[in-house]
Amino acid sequence: MTSSTDETNHKQKYIQSYGVEGIEDLEDYTENGLHPVNILDILDGRFEVCHKLGSGGIATVWLCYEASEKRWRAIKVNAASHSSMDSPELRISRALKNQAVGSEDLERHHIVMAEETSTFWIEGPNGKHLCSVLPVLGPSLSQWREMAVGFGAVRIQKVCYELTEGLHFLHEHGICHGDFRPQNILMRLADGGLDHLDPDELFELISLHNRHEVRTLDGSHSPNAPKWVIEPLNWYELKDLVLDNVAIVDLGEAFELDSPPRSLGIPRPYASPEVMYGGAPLGKESDVWSLAITLMEVRTGEQIDGFESPLDRMENIAGPIPPPYRSIAAEKLYRNLLRDFDASSQEDMPKPHPPSEKLLQSTGALTELFWKEYQAEGELDYSSPEIPTGIEDYLGEEFWETVPITNGDSVGENEPTTMLRPYRIPKDELTMLTDLLRGMLMYKPHDRTSTSSVLGHSWFTMGLGDEKLNIEEPEKQLFDIKREAQSRTTTEEIVSQVNSQKPSKKISKSEIGSREIAPEADTSELKTNTPGIVPSPRPRGQKRFILSVSQILSWLSTCLPILLSIIILWKLRHGPESTTIEKLEVVNIFITPNRPPVADAN
């Protein structure tokens, strides 16, 4: 998302954070920027802020509990500069309603968006902010891919088909998403989501959030910023609630086909050539390019990185960049090199020259030839033929996936239940997937495969043969391990297994009492991962037969003083010397669980 602040004019105001991941840019807490939200704030008099779900330059999204309805909601708080009833998302919502598209249609086609009837306004030190009430969804597609166990294509194909189906639905109704990427695709939660938990129960299941105290450069607090910024909710701790179903969100860059914008704020790794360099109008074909990059990342489980620049990445997967983009791309390369030269000592590098006409008319990879020309003294040969696309080479590389330990391996105390395993996409699938992506990554927009053709491609319906076992078998193996663990696993084994899975978060034996082992259940709807400490969803009001933390601590607060009295009396009666006790007073010890500590408002 594009920052709401003017990057060229503002000066740094806040001390930047280190070691706290996934937080918003602190400099966006300024006049006309983000609204300062603190944990336990009450929004609109009914939504208690309990955790953060996400953030960007134009909005923050909060996990809130609506006590009167006993349900959880995601509240999106827009920056003041992006708060308008004519915002792109609300405008698209009205356009779809004018086409008789209802909420059920959106739900069926994997789309979740703000509606005008589910908004409210709040005022703060940075201005007036439009807030949207949304259902609580799970982790992003990228996070789901990191949590997914198994290396086969079946689950991946299902998810990829759903996100393609959703994008196709938008295109069929004259809408372009404009910012289609894994971060804007969320996974749905099992029926009821978090609604079977109240805030105290939720805090028993998740770790304390990492946070950073927001201070200005002079060390003071600013009324424009919250006292703390926190990391988003760690969905790994609630992974048993996450389904293999997608929800396309964040239509903040969306537009109607008959009124395309001049530019989009989509990050460069997912931006099509016409978005990055111009030369062609923006339209649904721009979404198709972004979809291709998304499909590639979901299938491999890795972001397309390791390249020197976005152009280098583009040429490696789609071939040398042609006109009309070539001259603009070359000019940007030249400016970047000139900027680096001006910022350096100018002794270790030659001064770059503007791209030559010969370079612009060549058909070779621009990044490679430009770099050679930049470093070379004499004339270069630009007659090299156009290199083929590198999609197949990239997809043919070896990847690493997290998979469960097989039944043949031992799973005992202090041993992990998952392992890293090298994996290559099978050759038959590689051929089909390459064919699909190559058609979507054409430089000329009108040459790209449409979403309807993508849905009909053989990659989604190919017979995978033994490959199906690679995705079904890990789930069965993991369920068997989980079932055995429930019948024979001791407290020490649970501690060691969880700690081996998440080295950064250690739990103690005392915490196990607050965790409910998921009972045997139908795993066709829920993801089954490592032997978990997260409860399976249960209907509201269903009785649990496992003691909670509050029950255990209440029992201890009553019995502990009595037990101490007995020990002291026994010790004095049977000690080496006779002692008379004239008066013994035992003070009750009260131990109660609290929510995560929250700094005071001051």
Side-chain angles (χ1 to χ4, degrees):
M1 289 186 280
T2 307
S3 175
S4 61
T5 57
D6 186 347
E7 298 179 358
T8 59
N9 294 328
H10 84 277
K11 295 181 179 180
Q12 181 178 339
K13 179 178 180 180
Y14 300 101
I15 299 174
Q16 297 303 302
S17 63
Y18 298 95
V20 182
E21 300 179 354
I23 63 173
E24 56 272 33
D25 185 350
L26 300 184
E27 302 303 325
D28 285 330
Y29 285 109
T30 186
E31 185 177 353
N32 213 32
L34 296 177
H35 177 65
V37 177
N38 289 287
I39 298 298
L40 300 187
D41 280 356
I42 305 295
L43 303 179
D44 199 36
R46 52 187 172 135
F47 300 108
E48 180 184 17
V49 178
C50 294
H51 215 302
K52 184 198 290 179
L53 293 174
S55 61
I58 64 174
T60 53
V61 184
W62 300 90
L63 178 64
C64 297
Y65 189 68
E66 189 176 7
S68 61
E69 301 293 333
K70 291 184 168 52
R71 62 183 181 182
W72 293 91
R73 287 291 178 261
I75 306 299
K76 180 178 181 181
V77 183
N78 289 283
S81 59
H82 287 74
S83 293
S84 167
M85 295 305 292
D86 195 39
S87 65
E89 192 157 11
L90 293 180
R91 191 166 60 246
I92 295 302
S93 176
R94 289 192 290 268
L96 290 173
K97 280 190 175 182
N98 290 337
Q99 299 181 55
V101 175
S103 57
E104 292 183 358
D105 296 317
L106 295 175
E107 179 86 9
R108 189 167 56 253
H109 291 91
H110 325 293
I111 299 168
V112 173
M113 58 191 304
E115 296 184 10
E116 193 169 346
T117 56
S118 299
T119 60
F120 61 90
W121 290 84
I122 57 176
E123 290 196 40
N126 297 330
K128 194 174 181 180
H129 305 266
L130 178 66
C131 304
S132 303
V133 182
L134 300 166
V136 177
L137 299 169
S140 69
L141 183 62
S142 298
Q143 293 170 319
W144 170 85
R145 193 61 182 86
E146 293 173 358
M147 294 191 300
V149 176
F151 47 81
V154 175
R155 287 170 69 191
I156 306 295
Q157 285 173 312
K158 174 183 178 296
V159 166
C160 289
Y161 190 88
E162 285 190 0
L163 59 93
T164 306
E165 196 174 34
L167 189 61
H168 175 66
F169 178 80
L170 291 175
H171 289 179
E172 286 292 288
H173 289 82
I175 305 298
C176 292
H177 188 282
D179 194 12
F180 196 86
R181 53 193 171 101
Q183 292 76 15
N184 288 336
I185 301 166
L186 304 181
M187 309 307 293
R188 294 187 181 273
L189 300 178
D191 290 343
L194 302 177
D195 287 346
H196 64 287
L197 301 169
D198 62 29
D200 288 327
E201 289 174 318
L202 176 66
F203 285 128
E204 290 176 4
L205 296 176
I206 61 177
S207 59
L208 298 181
H209 47 256
N210 290 331
R211 61 183 186 175
H212 167 76
E213 187 174 12
V214 182
R215 292 184 178 274
T216 60
L217 295 180
D218 62 7
S220 62
H221 292 107
S222 169
N224 300 98
K227 187 168 185 181
W228 303 90
V229 287
I230 67 172
E231 289 184 354
L233 181 69
N234 180 8
W235 282 106
Y236 186 93
E237 298 172 311
L238 299 170
K239 60 184 180 298
D240 285 353
L241 298 176
V242 180
L243 301 177
D244 291 348
N245 300 104
V246 305
I248 299 170
V249 299
D250 199 349
L251 277 75
E253 294 284 340
F255 59 93
E256 296 180 72
L257 282 173
D258 56 4
S259 55
R262 299 182 62 181
S263 63
L264 290 172
I266 185 172
R268 290 186 298 175
Y270 305 95
S272 63
E274 64 271 20
V275 172
M276 287 187 63
Y277 305 115
L282 306 183
K284 57 186 179 181
E285 296 84 7
S286 306
D287 277 347
V288 171
W289 181 285
S290 305
L291 173 63
I293 304 298
T294 299
L295 295 179
M296 193 182 309
E297 290 191 359
V298 176
R299 181 61 186 100
T300 63
E302 296 184 4
Q303 290 187 341
I304 303 177
D305 52 14
F307 300 102
E308 293 181 358
S309 67
L311 176 60
D312 187 33
R313 180 192 302 113
M314 184 179 291
E315 290 195 313
N316 270 273
I317 64 173
I321 190 168
Y325 317 112
R326 193 173 180 87
S327 60
I328 302 174
E331 182 65 23
K332 286 192 174 183
L333 275 178
Y334 165 67
R335 290 179 181 176
N336 289 339
L337 286 173
L338 188 62
R339 181 194 59 204
D340 293 341
F341 175 79
D342 292 337
S344 68
S345 61
Q346 303 183 5
E347 297 177 358
D348 301 328
M349 57 188 303
K351 184 174 182 178
H353 300 287
S356 65
E357 194 65 30
K358 192 175 183 181
L359 177 68
L360 297 179
Q361 293 175 356
S362 67
T363 58
L366 181 62
T367 48
E368 181 180 353
L369 294 178
F370 196 101
W371 186 252
K372 287 181 178 179
E373 183 181 69
Y374 170 57
Q375 291 184 318
E377 294 291 340
E379 286 291 319
L380 292 176
D381 180 15
Y382 293 99
S383 61
S384 58
E386 183 171 344
I387 61 174
T389 174
I391 298 177
E392 189 166 6
D393 291 339
Y394 176 78
L395 295 176
E397 294 177 357
E398 185 177 81
F399 302 100
W400 289 84
E401 291 267 351
T402 302
V403 295
I405 293 176
T406 61
N407 288 334
D409 297 325
S410 62
V411 181
E413 186 175 358
N414 298 323
E415 291 188 20
T417 56
T418 60
M419 63 185 296
L420 283 175
R421 183 180 299 175
Y423 170 71
R424 289 183 185 273
I425 297 176
K427 290 184 179 179
D428 289 345
E429 183 197 350
L430 179 62
T431 300
M432 290 189 178
L433 183 58
T434 301
D435 178 72
L436 170 63
L437 295 175
R438 185 176 287 127
M440 301 171 71
L441 294 170
M442 303 296 290
Y443 278 109
K444 294 182 179 179
H446 293 294
D447 289 342
R448 292 176 202 151
T449 308
S450 66
T451 51
S452 60
S453 297
V454 172
L455 288 172
H457 195 275
S458 56
W459 180 70
F460 290 105
T461 57
M462 65 178 293
L464 297 178
D466 293 339
E467 181 67 11
K468 287 189 176 182
L469 297 177
N470 288 339
I471 189 60
E472 294 172 356
E473 187 64 21
E475 287 190 341
K476 180 180 182 300
Q477 293 167 2
L478 189 56
F479 181 62
D480 290 341
I481 294 172
K482 188 171 185 177
R483 183 169 52 190
E484 291 176 15
Q486 292 170 7
S487 62
R488 64 176 174 77
T489 303
T490 64
T491 298
E492 288 77 13
E493 288 175 322
I494 297 176
V495 173
S496 64
Q497 288 173 8
V498 176
N499 287 342
S500 67
Q501 286 299 311
K502 294 198 69 188
S504 61
K505 183 197 177 212
K506 301 294 183 180
I507 66 171
S508 64
K509 294 181 183 178
S510 62
E511 291 176 299
I512 290 295
S514 66
R515 310 301 175 102
E516 179 181 351
I517 304 300
E520 293 184 16
D522 178 10
T523 57
S524 61
E525 290 295 326
L526 293 179
K527 286 185 57 179
T528 54
N529 290 292
T530 54
I533 57 177
V534 181
S536 296
R538 56 183 172 84
R540 185 186 301 277
Q542 179 176 329
K543 188 175 180 180
R544 292 185 294 181
F545 296 96
I546 297 177
L547 292 176
S548 66
V549 166
S550 59
Q551 290 171 322
I552 292 175
L553 293 180
S554 176
W555 180 84
L556 287 176
S557 66
T558 302
C559 298
L560 188 58
I562 299 174
L563 180 60
L564 289 175
S565 301
I566 294 173
I567 293 174
I568 294 172
L569 287 172
W570 183 88
K571 191 73 175 176
L572 294 176
R573 182 177 181 85
H574 298 280
E577 298 180 2
S578 178
T579 306
T580 301
I581 301 177
E582 295 182 355
K583 186 177 182 182
L584 176 64
E585 292 185 1
V586 179
V587 179
N588 286 336
I589 301 174
F590 294 95
I591 308 174
T592 57
N594 290 318
R595 298 186 188 178
V598 180
D600 57 64
N602 296 324

